[in-house]
Amino acid sequence: MLNVVHIPPEAFSEIFKTGRNILLTKISPSVKEPSIKIQRNVWSKPQLIVTVQAPDEKSFVDFFAKRGNDVVSIFVKGERDRLMKMYADRKFKNEAVASRMEKEHHFTINVPKGFAVSVDTTNFVWIRYETPNISQDVIAYWYPYTSDSTFTKKYLLDKRDSVVKKNVPGPDPGTYMTTERLIPVLFRAFKLNGNYTAMMRGLWKVHGGFMGGPFVSISTLDPVRGRVLTLEGFVYAPKMDKRELMRQMEAMIYSVRFPDQAKNDRINRMAEMGNDTEATPADSASTK
C-alpha cells in the first residue's frame, strides 16, 4: 500500500523533510501515554506528518500493534485527498463530464481531462481513458432502494455481476466482465458526505477470456430519489504496477456528490432523530 524508506533520526536532514508523507516515532519518559499526532504542511506543502509516541519501548510496540492500520489509513486517505483536490481544480477537471452527469443523472463526479463518456443510458454510464498500455474506467449505475439487504456484500456483488455482464463485454463474442470470487472481496460500510455507503474492493475478470485486474466500488444511498448509486473504478494494465492507477480511480469515485444534498441531509437528520441508534438505510429512504 505504501513504499517505506527508513531514515535514522540522525540522518533526517532537510532533504528528507520535504517528503509529502512522514512518520515520526518518539519514545521518551516525557510522554505520558501512547498517542498518535497528525500535523500538516510543517516543512513543505502538501505534507502529512504522523507522530507515534509512547513513554517506553514496550508500550510503543503494543500501541503500534493495535493502531498500525490506523496509521496506514491516515496516509492512504491523505494520498486520496490530494488527488481529489487536484481533480476538482478547473485546470484538471473535466467540466463537461461533471455537468453532463449532474444534468442528466443527478450526481456529479470529478474526472480529469482526457476521460470521455463512452456509454450513457437511462441507468448506466461508462467513462473511459485509454492509452496503448492502460485502460482506466469508471462505471456508474443506479437502482431503486428496497430494503436493508441492499447494503450487504452478497447483494452488492450479485448486483455488480448482473450489471457488468450486461454492459461490459469482453474482447470476444460471448465474453463479459464478472467478479473473481476465488479472491475474497473486501467490504466496509460507512457514511460518505452524510449518506450511508458501502465500499467493495476486489478483482475482476473476463468470463470466457483472459483479461483481469483490480476494482474498487462505492454504493451510496440517495434518499431523495430512493435509489442506490454505485460508482466503480477499474483498471486494465497488463504487466504494470496498478497501485497508483487505482488510487486515481478511488479519488474519482469518492468525489461523487448529489446536487441536492441539502435535502438528503434533512432526511438523514430526521431519520436519526427518530431512532435511538444510528439510522439505517431503510430509515433514510422511508422518510422520503
Side-chain angles (χ1 to χ4, degrees):
M1 296 180 73
L2 299 164
N3 294 335
V4 180
V5 178
H6 297 275
I7 308 296
E10 61 273 14
F12 188 58
S13 59
E14 292 298 323
I15 189 172
F16 295 114
K17 290 182 179 180
T18 60
R20 67 175 185 264
N21 295 313
I22 298 176
L23 172 63
L24 301 176
T25 60
K26 181 180 180 181
I27 300 176
S28 170
S30 64
V31 177
K32 294 182 178 179
E33 59 183 6
S35 65
I36 296 174
K37 181 173 68 173
I38 300 174
Q39 297 171 286
R40 301 180 188 278
N41 306 330
V42 175
W43 293 301
S44 66
K45 184 178 181 180
Q47 185 179 63
L48 178 60
I49 299 176
V50 176
T51 302
V52 181
Q53 53 189 7
D56 55 71
E57 185 173 330
K58 183 181 184 306
S59 61
F60 181 93
V61 171
D62 292 343
F63 181 72
F64 202 88
K66 295 177 182 178
R67 301 292 302 276
N69 287 337
D70 295 337
V71 174
V72 173
S73 296
I74 291 169
F75 286 122
V76 170
K77 182 177 183 300
E79 288 290 280
R80 186 178 72 217
D81 290 346
R82 292 185 188 106
L83 286 170
M84 290 177 66
K85 184 177 181 180
M86 182 175 70
Y87 294 160
D89 190 303
R90 289 187 176 183
K91 292 185 295 184
F92 301 96
K93 181 180 178 180
N94 191 324
E95 296 280 1
V97 170
S99 298
R100 180 172 173 177
M101 295 301 103
E102 180 175 359
K103 180 179 179 180
E104 298 183 10
H105 303 302
H106 309 293
F107 70 89
T108 62
I109 181 174
N110 296 335
V111 298
K113 294 175 181 177
F115 278 77
V117 178
S118 63
V119 178
D120 190 349
T121 67
T122 55
N123 58 3
F124 179 84
V125 173
W126 191 349
I127 307 169
R128 311 187 72 178
Y129 175 74
E130 298 282 339
T131 75
N133 297 318
I134 67 171
S135 173
Q136 290 179 284
D137 303 76
V138 174
I139 59 174
Y141 52 93
W142 47 97
Y143 45 93
Y145 174 79
T146 55
S147 72
D148 290 355
S149 63
T150 299
F151 284 91
T152 62
K153 181 177 177 179
K154 182 181 185 308
Y155 184 95
L156 293 175
L157 277 177
D158 290 344
K159 173 63 72 173
R160 178 187 189 274
D161 281 345
S162 67
V163 171
V164 296
K165 179 180 180 179
K166 177 181 177 182
N167 296 283
V168 186
D172 301 313
T175 62
Y176 53 85
M177 177 183 279
T178 188
T179 305
E180 175 56 80
R181 301 289 184 121
L182 294 179
I183 305 298
V185 174
L186 300 180
F187 176 88
R188 181 170 69 92
F190 61 104
K191 282 193 174 182
L192 179 64
N193 303 319
N195 302 314
Y196 194 86
T197 302
M199 180 277 293
M200 294 194 302
R201 188 188 304 275
L203 298 177
W204 62 270
K205 65 179 181 179
V206 170
H207 177 79
F210 298 96
M211 298 173 66
F215 78 87
V216 59
S217 75
I218 57 171
S219 299
T220 187
L221 184 66
D222 182 6
V224 168
R225 295 173 183 83
R227 67 174 179 173
V228 177
L229 170 66
T230 295
L231 293 109
E232 176 179 316
F234 62 91
V235 167
Y236 180 64
K239 300 181 181 180
M240 294 182 63
D241 185 346
K242 290 169 271 291
R243 185 184 69 187
E244 299 307 316
L245 296 174
M246 283 303 297
R247 284 219 173 111
Q248 295 167 12
M249 306 311 300
E250 191 169 359
M252 294 177 209
I253 65 174
Y254 270 78
S255 71
V256 64
R257 297 289 187 276
F258 296 117
D260 45 9
Q261 181 59 39
K263 294 181 181 178
N264 278 346
D265 291 340
R266 287 196 294 271
I267 294 173
N268 290 332
R269 284 196 299 268
M270 291 172 61
E272 291 175 355
M273 290 173 60
N275 292 272
D276 294 331
T277 59
E278 185 177 354
T280 64
D283 297 325
S284 300
S286 63
T287 318
K288 176 181 174 184

